[in-house]
Amino acid sequence: MRKAIFPGSFDPITNGHYDIIKRGIPLFDEIVIAIGVNAEKKYMFSLEERKRFIEETFKDEPTISVVTYEGLTIDLCKKLGAKFILRGLRNPADFEFEKAIAHTNRQLSKIETVFLLTAAKTSYISSSIVRDVLRNGGDYTVLVPDAVRVSDI
């Protein structure tokens, strides 16, 4: 069984994340969207909200599941029996950052990282941009899946 972990903070999930996950579905038998918890980081959305946004977005995808975790992604992979980490690349800076992590993960385990290039129409979207648009009252709805709706920030 080809199981992949798609890790991130998803604060919130964006249409860029959505694109990578949807395109990953035919490549893997199962994709586990793993919301990492970092006690040092301040999030705009609670862990429960982020999980709910993702679960609602993929409620009709039987091969997608959502978990939360702390610690190393490779430890989660081992725990869940995943042999792959799925990651999206938007630009050269993402590549350099992700390459270093992938090499480290490969050095520490047998886990392979699979990279998908984001679609041109979503390559500019990041969670930090979405949060900035939200804080400033802009129309964030064109940047995120329908499940990500907030009444006030």
Side-chain angles (χ1 to χ4, degrees):
M1 179 175 203
R2 292 179 327 262
K3 182 186 284 191
I5 303 293
F6 186 67
S9 58
F10 305 103
D11 189 32
I13 186 170
T14 70
N15 285 339
H17 296 127
Y18 179 83
D19 171 64
I20 295 297
I21 295 162
K22 287 294 279 189
R23 290 175 37 225
I25 289 171
L27 304 176
F28 300 101
D29 299 307
E30 182 181 350
I31 297 174
V32 179
I33 302 170
I35 307 170
V37 178
N38 180 343
E40 306 293 312
K41 197 170 176 184
K42 184 165 170 45
Y43 297 104
M44 177 176 273
F45 296 98
S46 72
L47 183 60
E48 295 75 25
E49 287 173 307
R50 291 180 280 149
K51 189 170 189 231
R52 182 174 44 80
F53 291 154
I54 296 167
E55 287 173 340
E56 177 66 23
T57 298
F58 293 102
K59 68 179 185 281
D60 296 325
E61 292 292 348
T63 63
I64 302 284
S65 61
V66 184
V67 300
T68 62
Y69 75 106
E70 293 182 49
L72 297 176
T73 303
I74 58 170
D75 289 341
L76 179 66
C77 289
K78 290 173 190 173
K79 178 181 170 186
L80 298 180
K83 303 260 189 272
F84 303 96
I85 295 172
L86 176 62
R87 298 296 292 161
L89 298 174
R90 294 173 297 193
N91 54 48
D94 277 358
F95 173 74
E96 290 301 325
F97 178 74
E98 294 290 346
K99 179 177 75 166
I101 294 170
H103 284 314
T104 303
N105 288 341
R106 187 74 182 110
Q107 183 72 27
L108 299 175
S109 71
K110 300 275 189 228
I111 309 295
E112 289 289 352
T113 302
V114 175
F115 296 109
L116 293 180
L117 297 177
T118 56
K121 66 183 180 184
T122 61
S123 65
Y124 67 95
I125 302 172
S126 69
S127 292
S128 58
I129 287 174
V130 172
R131 290 191 305 270
D132 195 45
V133 170
L134 273 162
R135 276 189 213 99
N136 290 288
D139 182 9
Y140 66 94
T141 61
V142 298
L143 306 172
V144 297
D146 289 342
V148 181
R149 295 296 177 260
V150 296
S151 55
D152 57 319
I153 292 293

